[in-house]
Amino acid sequence: MTTLNFGAVQGLTGAEQRHLQDLAGVYQYHQAGNAVKDKYYEGHVTLNDVNLGIALPGGLRNLEVGCNWGQKAVDALADRSMFDGFVGSGQAADTMAQLVAGNRLLAQYAKACRDELKYGCVFATLSADPALGCRIRFHSPATSAALWSGEKGRIDCGLAIIDTVPDEKFKGQWRPHIVNLYTDEAVLVLTLENGVWTAERHPHRMGRPLMEPMIWNATSGKPFGRSRLKRPVRALIDDYIRIVANATIALEFDTTPQKYLLGVTDDQYDAVVSSKFKQYIGSILASTSNPETGENPEFGQLAQGSLQPHVDKMRMTATQFSAATGLTITDVGIVNDANPTSSDAILAQSQTLVLMAQQLNQGNGDALATIARMAQAIARNVPLDALTEEEAGIMAHFKNPAMPSVAVTADAAIKIASARKEFASTDTFLEMIGFDQADIRRIKAQEQRVRGRQLLVEVENENNGENLG
């Protein structure tokens, strides 16, 4: 776990020093909770974490039961939030397209969205860049912190660790050496050298921190949102792990059912006990009568336990998890082969997740629009109020979270094109009938070559006609 201990930083004002200490305190306070969410997302939950101390033996406390429900709860929703770039008009659209490509924003958004749902929020930071115009980076709460201003309705100040852990093997012993502090007036680069932190000030004209959060499921009491892996969801994952462990132990006992022999002699008893496994797998078990009692030995087997109660409990827990997260019942591994679910029923089950994705896109779209406006202002080195109407009107675009089939979208595109003739020549039409951006570029390039050849043929025919005349 990363520790931030700044002390007195050279080059900071008294107010900035207080903000830094408050941010460091917030960062340290949330690290334990963030580590728990990360553990559930990665599936590194052991029986020792969930054991009630009743049925599970203590010797299995370090056993890890494979459970990807935490990852599924996050990824299934994140996969439906498909950022597709910014839309606008004029030069602003071209500028944002360059910023999106230069910062690899489509791929970065996909990673940031997972962190947002895992922890509740993620922070985007911006800085001037000579090559790109503006550099945009995303930081999870594991490497950043911020203070919310209810009066301003936005971040008051924030910090982000810039030199993160170089490799996972250094986790727990890595100490950052470069941390950025974001305020309304400047970005302060804090550098640790020889045990002393110093600040390098970079003033800006934005009038607000160059830091913007993307927040999931915020409330008035939790302005930085809530995780998809909140405590009730983690409790259901614990329940599932206990069920699987109990079922595994029950299966071991069912594989080797308990047998008994009554009325054997001491020698026979010693022979059986000395080679239990051999006696178990042998096809014949022979024994003479007991000379002391005259009784013949009696062989028996105790009734096997049933796995059905474990299966029923697993199904019940999976249904509760599905209801708590909005996942379909098939997403959590419950399939009814006897009565398969129709495609319409599966689509109806996914409506909850689609509505959540629409809510996620709406919130992230507002944040990305703010990021786009600040990025353009940084690239032009102007304040926000100096942006043109085109630059201020940039909007984020997301693909349909319902993910309809190509047949459905193609049919809709053709119907629209029949009513609006110009629509058939747009990129949107080609996207709706199933082509991605790479295909669209190839199609347009080949169409341009065809038009060029046709034009050459027409010019050549005209020249030949003139020569004959």
Side-chain angles (χ1 to χ4, degrees), residues 73-116:
V74 170
D75 291 355
L77 180 54
D79 289 342
R80 289 183 179 269
S81 181
M82 296 168 282
F83 176 54
D84 199 31
F86 293 96
V87 294
S89 58
Q91 182 62 36
D94 296 335
T95 300
M96 283 312 305
Q98 293 173 2
L99 288 173
V100 168
N103 286 282
R104 301 182 66 248
L105 211 54
L106 300 185
Q108 295 301 320
Y109 173 83
K111 293 188 291 185
C113 189
R114 282 174 169 77
D115 284 337
E116 174 189 2

Side-chain angles (χ1 to χ4, degrees), residues 10 45 105-106 109 130 167 205 239 249 259 414 421 452:
Q10 299 177 7
V45 184
L105 211 54
L106 300 185
Y109 173 83
D167 190 84
R205 306 168 63 185
D239 195 23
I249 295 171
K259 301 177 182 180
I414 293 171
K421 301 299 183 183

Side-chain angles (χ1 to χ4, degrees), residues 437-451:
Q437 282 298 321
D439 290 331
I440 292 172
R441 289 188 181 185
R442 291 174 60 202
I443 290 170
K444 289 201 163 187
Q446 292 173 16
E447 286 177 344
Q448 189 173 3
R449 285 197 296 269
V450 170
R451 286 194 298 268

Side-chain angles (χ1 to χ4, degrees), residues 174-294:
W174 173 257
R175 187 180 181 188
H177 293 74
I178 303 175
V179 176
N180 284 1
L181 174 63
Y182 299 89
T183 67
D184 288 349
E185 298 82 20
V187 177
L188 297 116
V189 180
L190 312 181
T191 307
L192 178 64
E193 292 183 2
N194 300 322
V196 178
W197 286 95
T198 57
E200 181 182 349
R201 187 178 302 271
H202 298 272
H204 59 75
R205 306 168 63 185
M206 207 62 59
R208 53 152 297 163
L210 301 183
M211 189 177 195
E212 179 69 16
M214 293 196 307
I215 304 170
W216 166 248
N217 202 15
T219 64
S220 299
K222 291 184 176 293
F224 285 118
R226 292 177 293 176
S227 168
R228 284 273 286 171
L229 302 177
K230 49 187 178 290
R231 188 170 299 174
V233 172
R234 299 200 301 268
L236 290 171
I237 294 175
D238 292 346
D239 195 23
Y240 172 83
I241 292 173
R242 280 193 296 268
I243 296 168
V244 173
N246 284 326
T248 302
I249 295 171
L251 183 61
E252 290 291 327
F253 283 115
D254 291 347
T255 304
T256 56
Q258 290 181 305
K259 301 177 182 180
Y260 61 85
L261 271 172
L262 301 177
V264 296
T265 64
D266 291 342
D267 293 338
Q268 292 170 339
Y269 173 80
D270 292 338
V272 170
V273 171
S274 63
S275 56
K276 291 181 179 179
F277 186 71
K278 183 177 179 181
Q279 300 296 334
Y280 171 73
I281 64 172
S283 57
I284 299 176
L285 184 63
S287 177
T288 60
S289 61
N290 191 329
E292 297 177 0
T293 62

Side-chain angles (χ1 to χ4, degrees), residues 393-426:
I394 288 290
M395 299 173 60
H397 180 258
F398 294 86
K399 294 182 180 179
N400 189 347
M403 294 189 292
S405 66
V406 174
V408 173
T409 55
D411 182 62
I414 293 171
K415 289 179 179 178
I416 296 172
S418 64
R420 298 176 65 93
K421 301 299 183 183
E422 298 82 3
F423 180 69
S425 60
T426 63

Side-chain angles (χ1 to χ4, degrees), residues 95-96 98-99 103 126-136 206 210 371-383 387 391:
T95 300
M96 283 312 305
Q98 293 173 2
L99 288 173
N103 286 282
L126 300 93
S127 59
D129 186 278
L132 299 176
C134 179
R135 171 74 65 180
I136 303 172
M206 207 62 59
L210 301 183
I371 293 168
R373 288 193 290 271
M374 288 198 293
Q376 293 174 100
I378 291 172
R380 288 181 50 203
N381 193 23
V382 297
L387 293 177
E391 291 171 332

